[in-house]
Amino acid sequence: MELRQLAVVVAVAEEGGFTAAAQRLRTVQSTVSTVVRALERDLGTPLFHRTTHRVVLTPAGEAFVPAARAALQAAERARAAVSPVRGRVRLGVGPGLLADLHAVLTRLRQAHPAVTVEVRQLRPEEGRCRVLESTVDLALIPVDGTASSGGLATSGEPAPSCADAVVTLLPAEELVLATAPGGSRSTVADLRGLSLVDFPAGWAIREAVDRAFPQRRVALEVDDPGVAAGLVRAGLAACVLPASAATRLAELAVRRFDPPVPWQLAAVHRAGAGAAVGAVLAQLGGKPRQSGRV
């Protein structure tokens, strides 16, 4: 039995499904399924009941997961005792900007237990200035799709005094349409005739959807992605979300737009910010070679 197997089982249990666990672990669903099946064979008992729409723990799984979580925590403490990376990172995140923040922090804790993160909420347009003012060490901002290797454009333009900050592009993805369960997921997303649940003005995802679909019909507005998912699940509205957020809602029908609607985040930080900031960037999927100044 390996720590990786324990981590996969705990991820499936906490995320409620193999797809969401794969997203959290930055791997593919088939790998998660293979690891769980192999462990179940070794243990001689199933850990999960698998149905079409959900995954739940068996009695054996309910007994196994707390013990697995305790073993992982013990391994983290042992790793922290000799970890060369330690320190505090103040991370600025706009509302609704990073759906899998908890997964990022979980991976960080497993890889670098001596690094602590303080999460602070800020508006996307504040990111650069807050970094240069040293009120946060790392800030996430949305990219509006006009970015190039030589610079970034975002939904909010910085003040001239805040223009010199280092940026690292995070993995690019796209916006998708989440609707009530049923229908073919291969059907191209179409907003015509749909009532949408949307997020408040000032949220980065709201600004991105405003730019992409200015004529859409917004029937409901909420400030909680979980509430939005519940409204979609009940068939009361549809919702446009980043693909990384939609994959966590396995019971909903998720469809892609044609042409794709891009969605990407960037991390703003100072040059030479230190190993702790670098550790957080690595878990966010940032690629230093794509960094530049804005």
Side-chain angles (χ1 to χ4, degrees):
M1 189 181 304
E2 301 176 356
L3 288 175
R4 176 171 176 268
Q5 293 176 307
L6 302 184
V8 169
V9 169
V10 169
V12 174
E14 291 180 347
E15 299 296 331
F18 289 84
T19 300
Q23 180 75 21
R24 165 171 156 177
L25 297 169
R26 298 293 178 94
T27 187
V28 295
Q29 181 179 340
S30 60
T31 297
V32 172
S33 298
T34 299
V35 170
V36 172
R37 283 197 300 268
L39 182 57
E40 289 175 327
R41 284 196 300 269
D42 290 345
L43 296 172
T45 184
L47 299 175
F48 297 98
H49 289 302
R50 300 158 173 84
T51 67
T52 303
H53 297 297
R54 57 184 305 205
V55 174
V56 296
L57 289 167
T58 64
E62 291 177 351
F64 182 86
V65 167
R69 192 179 287 116
L72 291 170
Q73 291 170 349
E76 289 171 11
R77 290 192 295 271
R79 193 180 296 114
V82 296
S83 174
V85 181
R86 60 183 64 246
R88 179 190 64 157
V89 177
R90 297 163 299 172
L91 175 63
V93 183
L97 196 61
L98 189 63
D100 63 346
L101 176 60
H102 70 287
V104 171
L105 297 180
T106 297
R107 292 194 302 270
L108 177 70
R109 186 179 63 184
Q110 292 170 349
H112 302 288
V115 175
T116 59
V117 176
E118 296 178 4
V119 180
R120 303 183 179 183
Q121 185 165 295
L122 51 77
R123 296 192 302 273
E125 66 271 16
E126 296 177 323
R128 299 176 178 88
C129 289
R130 294 286 292 274
V131 167
L132 294 174
E133 292 167 355
S134 296
T135 54
V136 298
D137 304 301
L138 188 66
L140 299 185
I141 61 173
V143 177
D144 71 1
T146 63
S148 67
S149 59
L152 291 177
T154 64
S155 56
E157 289 301 322
S161 61
C162 299
D164 188 20
V166 178
V167 244
T168 298
L169 290 176
L170 303 188
E173 52 176 310
E174 61 188 274
L175 298 180
V176 296
L177 177 67
T179 60
S184 172
R185 291 174 180 252
S186 62
T187 304
V188 174
D190 188 348
L191 300 186
R192 287 176 296 182
L194 293 181
S195 296
L196 299 180
V197 55
D198 217 326
F199 303 104
W203 283 41
I205 180 61
R206 171 64 180 266
E207 294 178 359
V209 178
D210 282 346
R211 288 194 302 272
F213 307 105
Q215 303 302 318
R216 72 193 186 286
R217 179 188 171 205
V218 179
L220 299 160
E221 185 177 289
V222 299
D223 62 359
D224 186 329
V227 172
L231 293 169
V232 174
R233 190 179 300 111
L236 298 175
C239 188
V240 179
L241 294 166
S244 58
T247 56
R248 297 175 51 79
L249 309 173
E251 72 278 16
L252 301 182
V254 177
R255 299 178 175 87
R256 300 177 62 189
F257 293 98
D258 185 16
V261 180
W263 169 258
Q264 188 172 21
L265 302 180
V268 184
H269 52 95
R270 285 181 176 273
V277 170
V280 176
L281 280 172
Q283 297 306 323
L284 287 167
K287 302 182 184 303
R289 67 177 182 276
Q290 290 182 295
S291 294
R293 292 190 180 273
V294 290

